[in-house]
Amino acid sequence: KTITLPLVSSLGTEDHAVLVEGLIDHEAMHCRFTDFCVDLGQYDPIVVSLTNLIEDVWGEREQAKIYPGCARNIRLSMDVMIRLGWYGGPTLGEVEHPAIMFSNYLTNGLLARLYECDHLQSFADAYHSMLVPILSEDLVSRLWDTACKVDAVMSTHQALALAQEIISLLK
C-alpha cells in the first residue's frame, strides 16, 4: 500500500499539479479497495488489464461516495490529459490492434458513464464504430452489456470474474 509517484521535478504548471492530484487520488483508491491478495500473475495480460479497468471504475465509483473531492480531482486530471492529447480516441488513419481498440472502447465508455464526460463518450463511440466491422454489432453490444455489470462489482474478486466473463464472450 505504497504509492510511487513519477519523477515530478520537471513539472511545474497548474496542469501538472492537477495531474498529480488526480494520480494520487486514483492510486489511493487502489490502496483503499484493491485486494492485493488476489494473484493476477497467473492470468493472461488481457485478463489482468480488464480486471484493472473494472477495478478502476468500481473503485473510483465507491471512493466518490466517501471522498467526493477525489472524484472531482480525477475528473479534472482526465480533462487535462484529454486537453494535452495524452488521453483520447483513435487517431485518424492509424490502424490499432483490435485488442487495443476493444480495451480503449471499454475504458472510454465505462469512464464516460462514471464521470458523465462527453469527450470520453465521443472517444468510445469512435472505437465502437471501428469494432463493429471486426466483431459484429451483436457481439460488441453483448460485450458492452456485460462490461456494464461493473455497476454491481464490489471487490477485486468480482472484477476478475467479470473480466473473465468478458474474455469468454470474446472467445
Side-chain angles (χ1 to χ4, degrees):
K1 293 198 173 192
T2 300
I3 297 172
T4 304
L5 296 174
L7 180 64
V8 294
S9 61
S10 63
L11 303 179
T13 68
E14 182 63 32
D15 280 347
H16 294 135
V18 170
L19 289 170
V20 169
E21 264 192 301
L23 175 63
I24 290 170
D25 286 341
H26 173 82
E27 295 306 324
M29 171 276 297
H30 282 293
C31 290
R32 287 181 186 99
F33 296 108
T34 296
D35 181 350
F36 293 101
C37 293
V38 175
D39 180 16
L40 295 177
Q42 61 183 310
Y43 298 97
D44 289 339
I46 187 69
V47 173
V48 174
S49 179
L50 285 172
T51 300
N52 186 59
L53 166 60
I54 292 162
E55 189 173 69
D56 286 350
V57 175
W58 148 62
E60 288 180 13
R61 179 192 71 224
E62 293 304 309
Q63 179 174 258
K65 293 175 184 175
I66 305 166
Y67 302 107
C70 290
R72 184 195 73 240
N73 292 341
I74 292 169
R75 172 62 195 273
L76 289 172
S77 70
M78 243 187 283
D79 291 342
V80 169
M81 288 187 283
I82 291 167
R83 191 172 65 256
L84 294 176
W86 296 357
Y87 201 89
T91 303
L92 198 59
E94 203 172 288
V95 178
E96 295 180 27
H97 189 279
I100 300 297
M101 285 190 281
F102 178 67
S103 177
N104 288 337
Y105 168 58
L106 290 185
T107 300
N108 285 296
L110 292 174
L111 291 175
R113 287 173 72 237
L114 178 64
Y115 290 108
E116 298 176 355
C117 179
D118 292 337
H119 281 88
L120 293 176
Q121 187 58 55
S122 69
F123 302 151
D125 292 344
Y127 279 113
H128 179 272
S129 296
M130 294 171 70
L131 284 170
V132 166
I134 298 167
L135 300 177
S136 83
E137 180 65 50
D138 178 61
L139 180 55
V140 173
S141 178
R142 286 187 294 139
L143 289 163
W144 176 252
D145 290 344
T146 302
C148 287
K149 292 180 182 179
V150 69
D151 295 344
V153 168
M154 294 298 291
S155 71
T156 301
H157 286 285
Q158 290 176 351
L160 173 59
L162 182 54
Q164 291 172 313
E165 186 177 345
I166 291 167
I167 295 300
S168 292
L169 278 174
L170 282 169
K171 288 180 179 180

